[in-house]
């Protein structure tokens, strides 16, 4: 290869390099940005989400063009490469621009959910652009698939704060279900050992009482989730705030349950049970109180919330009597 041909070959790498630099710049900007718009007076949710869908659809098409063009040699010539990567760059810029048009007044939880999505998408795009530079056909195919998967997942992502809360609560409920399942398995083991030693019988009694408290957490999450799905809205500032406030409390539920559940595994640590059962009971009481004060709670919820209030107190007292 002559020096002129070598220079031309290097110039043809300029377009993908610039594409990578644009993505990196966009990612750094999104990660480091703190001055988001708290309020946009003329925000139109329908227009915003339609535009989001259009940008992501276009991004998929542009990525597909690049993947096909760079799946095998010979690679596009310089001018053709510039046109290809220009389309991808415009999508990245449009994506970043759209981020700044989702105001915090639509809900902190909604905003944070989409902010995480943008960071993941841009990170995946950055990895994709690097595979193009390395000319690794298999990596290009894998990265292309990852981008398509992310763009397709948008169809199931929340578009309002109520939906964000429902998504979060389902995730937390699943984690609590897992913790409860493990405790039920531990109970089977403990039952077979409890007849052998008095200490095992004591552990079994604590475990049974502890499972009651975790079951109460599961029921509270399950029942309140149903009410949120039926009664919840995101049309007024108060409704949006209700979701954010409840979401903040729910965020701490899984960790509080896990801390308590770990203390119940054989051999039961009475010291740890004593340390963790009261925070869980108090947390469940707080969660119930926040739910009751929100628009999600209606007259139809009075009966079960009262029953659960009593259940929290009952199970709290049962554990307390065993370890204090």
């Amino acid at each position: 290869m002559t020096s002129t041909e070598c220079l031309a070959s290097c110039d043809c790498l300029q377009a993908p390099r610039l594409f990578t630099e644009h993505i990196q710049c966009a990612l750094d900007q999104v990660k480091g940005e703190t001055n988001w718009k708290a309020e946009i007076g003329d925000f139109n949710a329908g227009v915003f989400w339609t535009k989001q869908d259009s940008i992501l659809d276009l991004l998929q098409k542009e990525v597909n063009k690049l993947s096909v063009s760079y799946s095998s040699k010979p690679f596009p010539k310089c001018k053709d490469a510039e046109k290809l990567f220009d389309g991808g760059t415009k999508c990245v810029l449009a994506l970043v621009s759209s981020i700044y048009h989702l105001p915090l007044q639509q809900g902190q939880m909604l905003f944070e959910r989409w902010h995480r999505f943008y960071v993941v998408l841009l990170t995946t795009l950055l990895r994709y652009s690097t595979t193009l530079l390395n000319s690794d056909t298999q990596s290009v195919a894998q990265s292309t698939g990852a981008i398509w998967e992310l763009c397709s997942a948008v169809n199931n992502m929340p578009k309002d704060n109520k939906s964000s809360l429902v998504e979060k609560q389902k995730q937390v409920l699943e984690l609590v279900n897992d913790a409860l399942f493990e405790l039920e398995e531990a109970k089977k083991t403990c039952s077979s050992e409890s007849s052998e030693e008095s200490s095992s019988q004591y552990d079994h009694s604590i475990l049974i009482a502890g499972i009651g408290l975790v079951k109460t957490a599961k029921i509270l999450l399950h029942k309140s989730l149903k009410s949120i799905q039926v009664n919840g809205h995101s049309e007024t500032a108060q409704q949006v705030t209700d979701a954010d406030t409840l979401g903040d409390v729910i965020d701490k539920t899984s960790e509080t349950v896990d801390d308590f559940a770990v203390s119940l595994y054989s051999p039961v640590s009475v010291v740890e049970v004593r340390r963790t059962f009261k925070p869980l009971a108090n947390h469940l009481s707080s969660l119930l109180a926040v739910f009751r004060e929100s628009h999600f709670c209606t007259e139809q919820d009075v009966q079960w919330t009262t029953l659960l209030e009593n259940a929290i107190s009952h199970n709290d007292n049962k554990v307390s009597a065993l370890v204090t």
Side-chain angles (χ1 to χ4, degrees):
M1 179 182 291
T2 67
S3 59
T4 303
E5 290 172 331
C6 184
L7 179 61
S9 175
C10 290
D11 286 341
C12 287
L13 294 177
Q14 185 68 13
R17 284 198 183 106
L18 285 174
F19 181 56
T20 300
E21 289 174 7
H22 282 303
I23 298 171
Q24 183 65 66
C25 182
L27 179 59
D28 292 342
Q29 183 178 349
V30 172
K31 280 184 174 180
E33 183 59 68
T34 56
N35 296 319
W36 300 98
K37 293 182 179 179
E39 186 173 344
I40 297 178
D42 59 350
F43 179 78
N44 185 308
V47 172
F48 176 83
W49 295 117
T50 299
K51 187 176 181 179
Q52 281 289 299
D53 290 341
S54 298
I55 293 172
L56 293 170
D57 285 342
L58 184 58
L59 177 62
Q60 287 179 294
K61 292 176 183 177
E62 294 298 331
V63 165
N64 195 47
K65 288 180 188 176
L66 287 168
S67 298
V68 170
S69 300
Y70 282 85
S71 61
S72 61
K73 294 182 179 180
F75 295 145
K77 296 179 180 179
C78 295
K79 289 186 178 180
D80 293 331
E82 287 175 1
K83 290 180 181 178
L84 282 168
F85 283 102
D86 183 58
T89 299
K90 286 179 178 177
C91 283
V92 171
L93 295 175
L95 183 67
V96 174
S97 176
S98 70
I99 295 173
Y100 293 93
H101 288 84
L102 178 60
L104 287 175
Q105 67 181 7
Q106 293 299 304
Q108 183 72 33
M109 199 162 27
L110 175 69
F111 179 86
E112 289 176 354
R113 179 67 179 89
W114 277 88
H115 181 259
R116 289 195 301 273
F117 169 77
Y118 293 133
V119 170
V120 171
L121 179 58
L122 287 169
T123 301
T124 306
L125 271 171
L126 184 62
R127 190 179 305 117
Y128 168 77
S129 69
T130 303
T131 63
L132 289 177
L133 287 174
N134 294 335
S135 305
D136 184 339
T137 303
Q138 184 176 357
S139 296
V140 170
Q142 290 174 344
S143 294
T144 302
I147 293 170
W148 274 73
E149 186 177 346
L150 279 170
C151 292
S152 300
V154 166
N155 295 327
N156 298 319
M157 282 182 60
K159 301 297 196 308
D160 57 46
N161 222 31
K162 171 208 166 179
S163 300
S164 300
L165 177 61
V166 168
E167 180 187 66
K168 176 179 289 190
Q169 190 152 339
K170 283 181 177 179
Q171 292 169 350
V172 172
L173 179 56
E174 184 175 350
L175 292 172
V176 171
N177 274 331
D178 289 344
L180 183 58
F181 174 80
E182 291 178 2
L183 289 175
E184 293 286 3
E185 290 298 305
K187 183 176 75 171
K188 294 176 184 178
T189 303
C190 192
S191 295
S192 64
E193 298 174 348
S194 61
S195 60
E196 299 177 7
E197 300 179 21
S198 59
S199 60
S200 293
Q201 293 175 354
Y202 178 56
D203 285 0
H204 185 255
S205 298
I206 296 175
L207 177 58
I208 294 297
I211 287 175
L213 191 56
V214 176
K215 277 185 177 178
T216 304
K218 172 188 172 179
I219 295 169
L220 174 53
L221 287 169
H222 178 71
K223 296 287 287 185
S224 59
L225 175 60
K226 281 189 173 182
S227 296
I228 291 166
Q229 291 173 312
V230 173
N231 306 322
H233 299 282
S234 297
E235 297 167 1
T236 68
Q238 185 57 54
Q239 290 168 347
V240 170
T241 299
D242 283 349
D244 278 333
T245 303
L246 190 55
D248 285 341
V249 181
I250 288 170
D251 261 339
K252 303 179 182 70
T253 304
S254 178
E255 182 180 356
T256 310
V257 168
D258 283 345
D259 283 347
F260 176 61
V262 168
S263 71
L264 297 173
Y265 295 140
S266 182
V268 172
S269 171
V270 175
V271 172
E272 285 301 299
V273 173
R274 191 179 296 129
R275 182 183 68 83
T276 58
F277 86 91
K278 185 61 71 173
L280 175 56
N282 290 342
H283 175 79
L284 296 179
S285 295
S286 296
L287 176 55
L288 184 58
V290 171
F291 171 77
R292 279 173 158 173
E293 293 171 2
S294 71
H295 76 280
F296 305 118
C297 185
T298 66
E299 290 183 1
Q300 295 178 342
D301 299 302
V302 171
Q303 184 175 4
W304 71 260
T305 54
T306 301
L307 288 173
L308 275 181
E309 182 179 24
N310 294 333
I312 294 169
S313 177
H314 173 71
N315 286 294
D316 178 21
N317 290 335
K318 280 182 68 176
V319 177
S320 179
L322 289 166
V323 300
T324 58

